[in-house]
Amino acid sequence: MLFYSGLSHCLGEVHKGDTITDYMPQERERGITITSAAVTLPWKKHRINVLDTPGHVDFTIEVERCLSVIDGSVVILDASAGVEAQTMTVWRQADKFFVPKLVYLNKMDKSTANLTLCRQSLEKLGAKPLQIHLPIYEGKTFIGLADIVDMQKYVWSPHSDSGKHFDIISLDPKRDENIFDLCCKNREDLISFLSDIDERLSDHVIHCDKLIDVPSNVILNALRFATIKNLAHPVLCGSSYKNIGVQVLMDAILKYLPSPFERKNEIIRFYGDKLCLLVFKIIHHKILGQLTFARIYSGNLAPSSKVYNVNRGTYEKIHKIYIPFADEFKEVSFLNAGNIVVLSGLKFSFTGDTLTSSIDAMNEAKQRFYENTSSMVDEYKPVLVGIEAPIPVFFCSIEAPSPSKQKDLEKALENLEREDPSLTVTTSSESGQTIISGMGELQIEILKDRLLKEYKIEAFLGPLQISYRESIDESVEETTIVNKIVGGIRNDIEVTLRLKPKINAGIPKKIKVIGNQENDLRKLKFDRIKAIENGMALALNNGPILGFGVVDLEVELLDLKITSKTTNSMLSAAISQCIGNALKKSSPFLLEPVMKLEISFPEKYTKVILSTLSPRRSIIEEIEKKDGYNVIHALTPLSELRNYATEIRTVTSGMANLSMKLWCYQKMNEAEQRKAIESVFGFV
C-alpha cells in the first residue's frame, strides 16, 4: 500500500525483514508484528490512516487500542486456511467497538486457496460475507480478479514484478465464458441480499427486466450502507506477495468503509466543534522523547497549545505535532478532525485518556449530557471509551545486573509499562522483588530483549510462573472491631460483611450495601463508600492461598458503626482486615487459566499431536480437515503448555502451527492445587 501510494520506493517483504511498519529489531528478527504502527498515506485525493496490528495473542492489546480509534478495518485471511483462532479474537474485539469490516483473502496464488472454506469459516463467526471478487487463473497461475459489482476484470501481467500496472477490462460473455456466468450468479445473490436492506436498490430491481441491468453505482451504494451498518462484510481477494489486488483493496477502502464524518462517537456530539482527542498509544523515542498517539475526533489542533486531560483533571502543553510514518515522524503545523496525530510534550497522559481544549469545554459537554439524558450523575465525565487491559497470565521476578543499574531498570520498566497496558510491574510486599506480569512467554522475552538493546540493561529474569486466581466455595459472614488512636484521633469501627460465591463475576469493583431500617447504611456519604471500596480492592488483590487476585464473589456490607472522627484510611484498613478474615473462613480454592488451542498440521501427524495433548489434561473439542491438513481445537490448562510450541514443532519437523488464547479460569482439583502451591513455595 505504501509503495503504490508513492510513500515508499521499494516493496518490503516480511520474510526478508525489510517491511516499513515492522520496524523494531525484534520484529525483523522474528518475521512477526509485535507493536502496532501508524502510517498516513494519500490515495486518489483521499488520506488513509493505516494502523498495522500484530496477530500474535501475546500482543492482543495492540489490536484493542487501534480498534478503539479506527473507523473501519480490513481483516486479512490466508485464503487456504480461512478463519484461525486469533482471527476470532480480533473479530470479536472489532464487534465490541462496532467497527465495519472488509475481508481480504490473501495468498490466492496458493494451490490450496479455497473460497468456499473461507466463506463457511466466516459464517461460523456470525459474519455475513458477501463475495464481490472472484479469482481469475491462467492455467494454475493466479493473474487477477473479477469485480462482480462493476462487472470488470483486473488482470496483472505475470512478467511484472511490482504490480503497478494492470489492465481493467469489462467482462464479456463470449470472451470470458469461463467466469462470466459465475459472476452473474454471484451478482444476483448479492443484489438479492442487499435489496432487503436498501429501498433504492429494491426499486431498481422492480423496474429492471434483468438483474444484470441494475446499475453498478446503486449496488455500490447499497453495499456501502450495509458495510457501514455492520450488516454485511464484503469479501475481496488478491495475493500481496505476487502484487495482485492491493490497489483494488485500497479502492475498496474508499468505496465501502466510512469516512470520519460518517461514524460519530456518541460522546463526540456533546463536545460539538470543540477539540476532542483520544490517546491510544504511547512510545518512548530515543531522540524525540515520549510521544503520544491520539485520534482527533473534533476540533483543530496546533503546536504549542494547551489541552485538558478529562480523565486526570490536569492541563498539559503540546510542544509539537507530527504525522506518523512507522518509526519516522513528519512535523506539521495544523491537523483537523479525523486524523491520527503524534504529540510531543505530554507527560501525564495515559492510553485511553480523553483530551479537550479546556475545562470549560469539558463542563459544556457535561451539561449537554445532562440535557440529553435527564441524568444528574455528579461523577460523570464526558470521556471516550478507552481500552480494557487483558488479564496477565504469566509473571516472573526481574532484577538489575548490579545495584548501580537499579534506578535505570526502574525507569526503563516505567516506560515499558506505560507503552504496554497489558504489562504490569509491581513490587512484592514480602520479598521486595520487582515482579513483571504479562500475556505470554513471547511478550516477556521481547521485554528482556528491549531492555538490553534499547536501555543497555542486561536484566536477570526469574522463572516464568502461572498467574492463578482465587475464589470461595461458600458464603460467610464476618464482623471486625477496630479501636485505635492514630495521630491523636480515636477511630472506633465495627463492620459486618458477607462474602458470597458468584459465578463469572470477576473481581468486584463495587460493594453491595444492604441498607435497612436497623442500620444507617442508606445515609453513607460518597467518600465513605469510596473508602470502603478501596479497602475491598486492597483485600481482594491478595488471596489467602497464594496471594493472587480473588474473583467470582460478591461482597455485601451488612452493618457499619463509625464516628464522625473516623478517618477514611482507617475505614479502608478495617474493611480490608474484615474481608481478609472472611476469605480464610470461606473454603478458598485456586482457579487456573485455561487456553483455547488451535493446532494445524499435516494429517500424517495426527496421532503424534494427540499423544502430546493427552498427558496435558486437554479436552479435544473438534478435529477439522482442511485440504490435507488437520486442525485440532482443544482446551488445555496453561500450566501444561510450557515449551509446548517447541515440542510440537520438533515432533512434526516444523510442519505444525500453534495459536492459543485465554479461554477461562477453572477450579483446580485438590491434587493440582497442591502441585501449584508446591511449585510456588517449594512445599505444601
Side-chain angles (χ1 to χ4, degrees):
M1 292 174 76
L2 300 178
F3 175 72
Y4 297 129
S5 69
L7 284 183
S8 173
H9 300 293
C10 62
L11 286 163
E13 295 181 15
V14 172
H15 63 277
K16 289 184 180 179
D18 60 357
T19 56
I20 290 172
T21 53
D22 290 341
Y23 57 84
M24 291 175 66
Q26 294 81 4
E27 293 177 312
R28 294 187 169 178
E29 288 168 7
R30 293 167 173 80
I32 61 171
T33 302
I34 292 170
T35 185
S36 56
V39 176
T40 300
L41 56 89
W43 186 248
K44 295 187 176 180
K45 298 182 179 180
H46 291 77
R47 178 183 285 176
I48 303 175
N49 293 305
V50 178
L51 295 175
D52 181 27
T53 64
H56 197 284
V57 66
D58 282 16
F59 309 106
T60 188
I61 190 71
E62 293 292 329
V63 181
E64 183 100 358
R65 67 162 109 216
C66 291
L67 286 170
S68 69
V69 296
I70 62 175
D71 297 315
S73 62
V74 178
V75 180
I76 302 174
L77 301 184
D78 182 333
S80 64
V83 172
E84 298 177 87
Q86 188 59 14
T87 312
M88 298 181 192
T89 303
V90 174
W91 193 279
R92 291 190 183 101
Q93 286 174 312
D95 283 343
K96 185 170 78 173
F97 292 101
F98 307 103
V99 177
K101 296 175 279 289
L102 296 180
V103 179
Y104 176 63
L105 303 183
N106 193 20
K107 303 183 182 179
M108 288 301 302
D109 57 303
K110 292 173 71 172
S111 60
T112 52
N114 189 325
L115 290 181
T116 303
L117 164 72
C118 293
R119 188 168 58 250
Q120 289 173 346
S121 62
L122 283 165
E123 287 170 351
K124 287 181 182 178
L125 273 178
K128 185 57 186 178
L130 297 179
Q131 195 80 41
I132 62 170
H133 287 172
L134 293 176
I136 299 175
Y137 294 91
E138 193 174 80
K140 292 185 178 180
T141 305
F142 177 56
I143 61 166
L145 53 95
D147 188 315
I148 66 172
V149 175
D150 56 24
M151 291 299 283
Q152 292 179 329
K153 64 179 182 180
Y154 299 76
V155 181
W156 279 258
S157 168
H159 306 295
S160 171
D161 60 352
S162 67
K164 265 193 174 182
H165 305 290
F166 54 92
D167 296 317
I168 305 174
I169 308 165
S170 295
L171 287 168
D172 183 85
K174 293 181 180 179
R175 185 184 60 243
D176 304 301
E177 58 181 350
N178 292 336
I179 197 170
F180 188 84
D181 288 344
L182 186 58
C183 285
C184 289
K185 171 67 171 62
N186 277 269
R187 197 172 197 261
E188 289 175 7
D189 292 342
L190 179 66
I191 292 170
S192 176
F193 174 82
L194 292 174
S195 60
D196 291 335
I197 297 171
D198 190 278
E199 290 183 5
R200 287 169 296 179
L201 178 58
S202 60
D203 287 342
H204 275 83
V205 170
I206 292 170
H207 291 98
C208 285
D209 294 332
K210 298 178 182 178
L211 290 181
I212 194 68
D213 296 329
V214 176
S216 297
N217 66 310
V218 178
I219 301 172
L220 189 151
N221 289 336
L223 184 54
R224 178 182 175 80
F225 173 80
T227 306
I228 292 173
K229 294 296 182 182
N230 258 316
L231 301 173
H233 308 98
V235 179
L236 300 84
C237 61
S239 170
S240 298
Y241 181 61
K242 297 292 184 180
N243 307 314
I244 296 175
V246 177
Q247 299 98 315
V248 184
L249 170 62
M250 294 167 76
D251 289 342
I253 290 171
L254 301 184
K255 287 178 182 177
Y256 303 117
L257 292 179
S259 76
F261 304 104
E262 291 174 296
R263 258 179 61 87
K264 283 291 185 182
N265 188 297
E266 185 66 19
I267 298 297
I268 295 303
R269 65 191 182 98
F270 299 137
Y271 281 94
D273 59 355
K274 297 291 177 65
L275 179 68
C276 185
L277 303 87
L278 177 65
V279 175
F280 69 94
K281 183 178 172 72
I282 291 170
I283 66 169
H284 290 83
H285 194 275
K286 59 184 178 182
I287 297 172
L288 301 175
Q290 181 175 303
L291 295 177
T292 303
F293 287 68
R295 160 74 191 271
I296 307 176
Y297 281 96
S298 63
N300 302 317
L301 190 65
S304 302
S305 55
K306 277 189 175 182
V307 289
Y308 180 76
N309 188 318
V310 180
N311 299 71
R312 313 285 161 191
T314 58
Y315 274 101
E316 289 197 79
K317 186 175 181 179
I318 296 169
H319 291 166
K320 295 181 179 180
I321 63 174
Y322 304 91
I323 289 177
F325 185 68
D327 59 340
E328 298 177 6
F329 304 93
K330 178 185 176 183
E331 188 176 351
V332 292
S333 59
F334 174 84
L335 277 178
N336 54 9
N339 281 286
I340 298 294
V341 64
V342 180
L343 310 171
S344 69
L346 301 184
K347 302 294 183 187
F348 308 109
S349 296
F350 286 80
T351 298
D353 285 356
T354 299
L355 309 180
T356 187
S357 54
S358 66
I359 193 170
D360 290 336
M362 182 201 74
N363 287 332
E364 286 176 22
K366 190 173 182 179
Q367 184 60 38
R368 291 190 188 103
F369 167 78
Y370 293 152
E371 292 169 358
N372 280 268
T373 61
S374 301
S375 173
M376 293 302 291
V377 184
D378 290 339
E379 292 304 304
Y380 171 77
K381 288 183 178 180
V383 295
L384 296 160
V385 176
I387 59 170
E388 189 174 330
I391 300 170
V393 292
F394 279 107
F395 72 95
C396 66
S397 61
I398 184 168
E399 294 178 8
S402 64
S404 63
K405 284 282 188 178
Q406 181 61 34
K407 284 190 176 180
D408 292 338
L409 176 63
E410 289 172 2
K411 181 61 179 174
L413 289 176
E414 182 185 329
N415 289 349
L416 292 170
E417 184 180 23
R418 195 162 188 175
E419 289 183 15
D420 184 357
S422 68
L423 175 73
T424 58
V425 182
T426 56
T427 302
S428 171
S429 57
E430 296 176 0
S431 63
Q433 284 184 307
T434 302
I435 306 295
I436 54 174
S437 305
M439 294 301 297
E441 295 173 276
L442 180 60
Q443 183 189 21
I444 302 294
E445 182 186 325
I446 296 294
L447 179 137
K448 182 181 179 182
D449 196 41
R450 288 189 65 188
L451 284 171
L452 179 61
K453 291 181 177 176
E454 295 176 28
Y455 295 93
K456 312 303 180 189
I457 301 171
E458 194 170 357
F460 172 75
L461 296 183
L464 209 58
Q465 298 185 55
I466 306 298
S467 182
Y468 296 99
R469 292 292 179 269
E470 301 184 23
S471 192
I472 60 174
D473 244 348
E474 58 186 41
S475 295
V476 63
E477 287 186 19
E478 178 69 15
T479 298
T480 296
I481 299 173
V482 175
N483 302 114
K484 280 190 177 180
I485 298 174
V486 179
I489 299 172
R490 183 176 181 83
N491 292 270
D492 294 310
I493 305 169
E494 183 177 337
V495 58
T496 302
L497 293 164
R498 181 192 294 134
L499 306 187
K500 292 169 62 176
K502 191 174 182 182
I503 298 173
N504 297 326
I507 299 176
K509 295 180 180 178
K510 292 187 179 293
I511 198 161
K512 189 174 181 180
V513 179
I514 310 298
N516 54 49
Q517 293 179 350
E518 297 176 6
N519 59 41
D520 293 326
L521 298 183
R522 293 173 180 171
K523 299 177 183 177
L524 276 177
K525 292 182 179 179
F526 178 78
D527 65 320
R528 295 297 196 185
I529 293 176
K530 208 69 176 160
I532 292 167
E533 289 175 350
N534 287 340
M536 177 185 72
L538 182 66
L540 297 181
N541 277 340
N542 297 281
I545 304 175
L546 290 176
F548 291 104
V550 184
V551 300
D552 295 348
L553 79 165
E554 188 172 68
V555 182
E556 295 179 347
L557 179 62
L558 302 179
D559 195 19
L560 178 64
K561 293 182 177 65
I562 55 176
T563 67
S564 59
K565 293 183 178 180
T566 301
T567 63
N568 285 335
S569 58
M570 282 301 298
L571 176 57
S572 293
I575 294 291
S576 182
Q577 181 183 335
C578 186
I579 292 176
N581 294 337
L583 286 171
K584 293 172 185 175
K585 298 178 181 178
S586 58
S587 303
F589 58 84
L590 285 181
L591 295 161
E592 64 178 339
V594 175
M595 310 303 287
K596 188 175 181 66
L597 308 184
E598 184 178 286
I599 313 164
S600 59
F601 51 89
E603 287 184 19
K604 63 180 180 179
Y605 293 111
T606 302
K607 287 185 178 178
V608 176
I609 294 294
L610 289 173
S611 69
T612 65
L613 289 171
S614 57
R616 288 182 158 82
R617 297 189 282 141
S618 295
I619 298 173
I620 308 298
E621 291 188 310
E622 183 184 10
I623 302 179
E624 288 184 282
K625 292 184 181 294
K626 290 184 180 179
D627 297 314
Y629 274 70
N630 277 0
V631 180
I632 290 179
H633 300 272
L635 297 176
T636 309
L638 181 60
S639 59
E640 304 287 350
L641 293 172
R642 294 179 188 273
N643 303 315
Y644 184 58
T646 304
E647 181 181 337
I648 64 167
R649 280 198 297 268
T650 301
V651 299
T652 62
S653 303
M655 298 293 288
N657 181 44
L658 168 69
S659 62
M660 62 180 177
K661 65 174 181 176
L662 178 64
W663 186 247
C664 67
Y665 277 85
Q666 73 176 18
K667 183 178 179 179
M668 301 177 74
N669 61 40
E670 289 186 14
E672 294 300 333
Q673 183 164 309
R674 279 197 299 272
K675 271 193 208 175
I677 295 171
E678 189 173 357
S679 70
V680 175
F681 291 130
F683 58 88
V684 180

